[in-house]
Amino acid sequence: MRSLAGGGAPALLWRTVLVAALVCGVGLLPWLSRTDPALTVLRARSADRDPDPETLRAIRDDLGLDDGPLALLGRWLGGLLHGDAGTSWVSGGQVLPGVVQALGASLLLMAGALVVAAGTVAAVCARTLRLGARGRLGARRPGGTATAVLAALPEFLVAAVLASVIGVQLGWLPALGWYGPQWMVLPSLALGLPAGAVLGRMLDDLLPGAFGEPWATAAAARGVPSRSVARQAVRRCLPGLLPNLALFVVGLTGGSVAVEQIFDIPGLGRLTLQAALAQDLPVLQTGTLALVLLAATAGLLARLAARSLIGPALRDGALQSLHRPRPPAPRALPLLHGGLMAAVIGFGLPRDPLALDTLARLHAPSFEHPFGTDALGRDVLARISHGALTTLGTALAVSAAALVAGLLLGLLPRVSGPLVDTLSAVPPVLAGLLVTGALGSGPWTPAFAVAVVAWCPLAAHTSSLLRQERATTHLTATRALGAGRWYLLRHELLPAVAPPVARHALLRLPGIALGLAALGFLGLGAQPPSPDWGLLLAENQPYAERAPWAVLFPAAVLALLGALAVTAAGGVRLPRRRPRPAGPAGPPADPVVPAPRLRPDHPDSLLTPVSASQTEER
C-alpha cells in the first residue's frame, strides 16, 4: 500500500507538503486577491446592506480578520484535529455537516454519471470489440466523428438542453431539485455522456494492440467464445485507463459546478464555488480538503486495481506492448473538417462582431445573417469567426504546453503522482481564482489557470503507459543486450508512449477551449463584448428556446473542432525506425523488427536492430 501510494516516506512527505501548500493558498485567497474580506462577507450576507465603517469593523472583530491569515489558518487546523471545521462566515452554521452532506450529493451524482459513462464507453467501443473478437479488426476503418462531437459538447450546454427539452417542454423527468432517483437522470446524462466519450476514445485506441497479442490469436484458434476474448481484451486495457478514470471521478465530484447550478443540486462543487466567491474560508478550506482526500483515495485505488489486473506480468516483465506501428490514417476526414472550419472562419472575418442593430434582435438565419443574430442584434457568424482567432490560438498553446509538461512529468511518477492527485482535486474555477489572486487579472491569466491543471490527465496517462511498457518482453531483451537508460528512453519508451498521449491531448483540445471561455465568463479573463466562444454560449443560453440558432451554431462549430481534433489524432503514430548502415558505403537498411539482435559481424553494434531482409541475406 505504501509503495503504491508513491514510494514510501519521501512520497508521503511530498504529498503532505503539497496538501499544506494548497490549503494555505486557499486560506490566503482574500489577501492574495487584494480585497477586503469583511466587505465580501457583508455582500454575501446581505447585498442591500450599506457597508459603513462600523458594520465592517464589527465583521472584522467577529471573524478575527485583524489577527491575520496565519492565525485564522491555525485556529481552523486546531479545530479540525478535534473534528470541528468551524462555522461559516456567511450563514453561521457548522461547516463540517454541510460539507459532508454536499459531498454525499456529489458522490451520488458521480455514481450516476459513471453508470452513464460506462454505457457510453460500451457504445463507442462496440464495433472494435466485435471485430477484434472475431479476428477481423484489419477491416475496421477509423472513425469517431460522432464520439468527437459528443466529447466536444460542453457539459453546461448538454445540461441546459436536457433540462429545457426533456424536463420543461416534454415533462418526462424533473429538471430542478434533488429529492430522489428521478432527479438524478438528467444531470447524470449531462455529466456522463461527454466523460464516457473521452474514455471510450481512449479505450478504443488501446484495443487493437490487445487483440494483436499472442493470447488473442491463440484463444481464437482454440475456439474460445468471442465474448470471452472481448472481455479479456478490455481487462488487458483497463490498467492504462484507470488513472484517468480516477481523475474523472474527482472531476465529476468537484468540477461539475455548472451542472449543479443548472439543476439546483446542493453538491460539493457548487458549495465550494459559492464559498470561493463569498470568501467563506472555513467552508472553502474544508471543501478543498475533502476534494484532496477524495483525489488521493481515488488515485490509490486506481493504482491498486491496475496492479491487481496486470498481475505478476508487471513484476516479471512479461507484458506485450499495446502500442505498435499503425498504418497511415485516412486524410479525407481531417481535411474535410479543417476545410469547413476554415470556410466558416474566413466567411465571417470581414463582418463586424461588435456592430449593434437593435432592430434585428434574435433574427433567424437569413442571407444577410447566415447564422442569425443574438439578443443585441450582433451577427453570430461574425462573432464566431473573430472569437476563433483568440479561442483556438490560446487553446492550442495551452494544449501544447500541457502535452510537454504531461510527458516530462509523467516520466517521473514519484514526483508527478502526488502532484496530480493534489491538483486534480482543484476545480478549474477555484484554480482561476487562485491564479488571478496571485498574478492579477490579465489576458493570459485564464490560460495559465487552465494550464496549471490541464497537464494532470496527460501525466497520469503517461505514467500508466510507461509502467506497462517498461514491463514488456522486448524491453527486457533490449536491456539484457546492454542498452542503457537513455537508449531505452529515446528508442523504445518515448516512441511507444508519446503517440497515444498526443492523441489524448488532441481529444481534450475542445475542453481546454471551453475551460478558457468559462473562466472568462466568470470575470477572470475575456469580458463582454469579447466574441469568445464560451461567452457566446453563456450569453445566448437564456434565449435558447426563442432563438436556438444563437446557441446551436457556436456549439456546432465547437463540435466541429472536436471532430477535427479526433480525426487528426489518427495520424499520430509510431515513427518507423531504421537500423544503422551495415558499412560505411552500405545502403540504408529496411524497416526493422522491434526487438534488437546481436550482430556477430559487428561486435560494436550491440544495440543495432537487424532487419528481416538482412537476416535472409545472411
Side-chain angles (χ1 to χ4, degrees):
M1 291 282 291
R2 186 173 61 182
S3 61
L4 287 175
L12 182 60
L13 179 61
W14 176 227
R15 290 175 184 272
T16 305
V17 170
L18 290 175
V19 173
L22 178 60
V23 173
C24 291
V26 170
L28 293 174
L29 181 60
W31 290 267
L32 289 175
S33 59
R34 302 172 184 85
T35 58
D36 186 3
L39 179 59
T40 307
V41 170
L42 176 63
R43 290 175 177 173
R45 290 178 177 178
S46 177
D48 299 332
R49 192 172 179 181
D50 186 21
D52 55 86
E54 292 77 9
T55 303
L56 296 178
R57 171 57 61 184
I59 293 178
R60 291 192 186 95
D61 295 338
D62 181 38
L63 302 179
L65 296 177
D66 293 335
D67 297 337
L70 296 181
L72 293 174
L73 181 62
R75 286 199 294 266
W76 176 77
L77 290 175
L80 194 64
L81 295 176
H82 298 87
D84 182 14
T87 59
S88 171
W89 288 1
V90 176
S91 65
Q94 290 293 320
V95 171
L96 195 57
V99 171
V100 171
Q101 184 178 1
L103 178 61
S106 294
L107 290 177
L108 190 60
L109 177 59
M110 178 265 294
L114 287 181
V115 172
V116 175
T120 307
V121 170
V124 170
C125 302
R127 184 168 178 267
T128 302
L129 289 172
R130 184 177 66 253
L131 295 178
R134 298 176 181 176
R136 296 188 297 168
L137 200 57
R140 187 191 71 152
R141 294 182 179 180
T145 301
T147 309
V149 170
L150 185 60
L153 291 178
E155 295 174 351
F156 70 86
L157 180 61
V158 177
V161 171
L162 292 176
S164 61
V165 176
I166 298 180
V168 177
Q169 295 183 2
L170 299 178
W172 291 350
L173 291 168
L176 294 176
W178 189 253
Y179 306 106
Q182 293 182 348
W183 281 263
M184 288 181 54
V185 178
L186 294 183
S188 298
L189 288 172
L191 289 174
L193 289 176
V198 175
L199 290 174
R201 286 294 306 180
M202 295 176 63
L203 178 60
D204 196 65
D205 188 48
L206 294 175
L207 283 174
F211 284 119
E213 291 184 343
W215 68 265
T217 306
R222 292 179 61 88
V224 176
S226 58
R227 289 185 178 181
S228 299
V229 177
R231 186 169 57 252
Q232 292 301 321
V234 173
R235 185 178 185 274
R236 173 68 180 89
C237 298
L238 275 181
L241 293 181
L242 284 175
N244 274 277
L245 180 60
L247 296 182
F248 271 104
V249 167
V250 181
L252 292 176
T253 305
S256 56
V257 179
V259 175
E260 292 178 356
Q261 290 277 19
I262 291 174
F263 290 102
D264 195 22
I265 299 174
L268 187 58
R270 181 183 177 187
L271 179 66
T272 306
L273 174 62
Q274 292 175 351
L277 296 178
Q279 296 185 357
D280 192 352
L281 292 187
V283 177
L284 180 59
Q285 290 170 335
T286 308
T288 303
L289 184 60
L291 290 175
V292 170
L293 294 178
L294 176 65
T297 303
L300 177 60
L301 292 178
R303 288 188 288 271
L304 287 171
R307 181 68 62 91
S308 176
L309 287 173
I310 296 176
L314 184 65
R315 179 196 61 203
D316 300 335
L319 293 177
Q320 296 288 328
S321 178
L322 290 176
H323 310 286
R324 304 179 180 185
R326 293 183 166 206
R331 300 179 179 179
L333 285 179
L335 291 178
L336 176 61
H337 297 151
L340 288 176
M341 179 74 71
V344 170
I345 296 175
F347 190 65
L349 282 179
R351 301 169 178 264
D352 187 0
L354 303 178
L356 301 178
D357 187 0
T358 55
L359 299 179
R361 297 175 65 251
L362 300 177
H363 275 199
S366 61
F367 180 79
E368 183 179 2
H369 302 288
F371 286 3
T373 60
D374 62 6
L376 298 178
R378 297 172 297 191
D379 188 82
V380 175
L381 175 59
R383 294 182 64 75
I384 291 176
S385 300
H386 286 266
L389 300 179
T390 56
T391 304
L392 293 181
T394 309
L396 286 173
V398 172
S399 299
L403 175 60
V404 174
L407 283 173
L408 293 179
L409 292 175
L411 298 177
L412 304 171
R414 291 191 176 184
V415 176
S416 63
L419 194 58
V420 168
D421 292 343
T422 304
L423 291 181
S424 63
V426 182
V429 175
L430 180 58
L433 291 173
L434 292 174
V435 171
T436 303
L439 302 180
S441 180
W444 288 100
T445 299
F448 187 79
V450 173
V452 166
V453 296
W455 63 270
C456 293
L458 304 179
H461 196 188
T462 301
S463 297
S464 63
L465 297 181
L466 183 67
R467 186 182 303 111
Q468 297 185 63
E469 197 67 26
R470 291 175 61 185
T472 54
T473 54
H474 76 89
L475 199 72
T476 304
T478 307
R479 189 184 296 111
L481 291 175
R485 293 183 176 180
W486 286 109
Y487 180 89
L488 294 175
L489 180 64
R490 292 176 55 191
H491 298 276
E492 300 293 341
L493 295 177
L494 279 181
V497 172
V501 176
R503 292 192 289 269
H504 184 188
L506 283 175
L507 189 63
R508 290 185 175 270
L509 177 62
I512 289 178
L514 272 177
L516 294 169
L519 291 178
F521 177 71
L522 293 174
L524 304 178
Q527 297 291 314
S530 173
D532 195 86
W533 285 1
L535 289 177
L536 295 184
L537 291 170
E539 291 173 348
N540 297 323
Q541 181 182 338
Y543 309 97
E545 296 183 7
R546 180 181 175 186
W549 55 84
V551 175
L552 292 180
F553 281 113
V557 176
L558 187 64
L560 183 61
L561 172 63
L564 174 61
V566 172
T567 53
V572 181
R573 59 186 187 274
L574 291 175
R576 292 179 177 269
R577 289 171 287 177
R578 296 180 181 273
R580 299 172 186 173
D590 296 332
V592 303
V593 296
R597 302 176 184 174
L598 180 63
R599 299 178 59 178
D601 53 336
H602 290 274
D604 58 337
S605 58
L606 179 66
L607 300 179
T608 305
V610 180
S611 65
S613 60
Q614 290 172 334
T615 304
E616 293 174 359
E617 291 175 0
R618 291 196 184 102

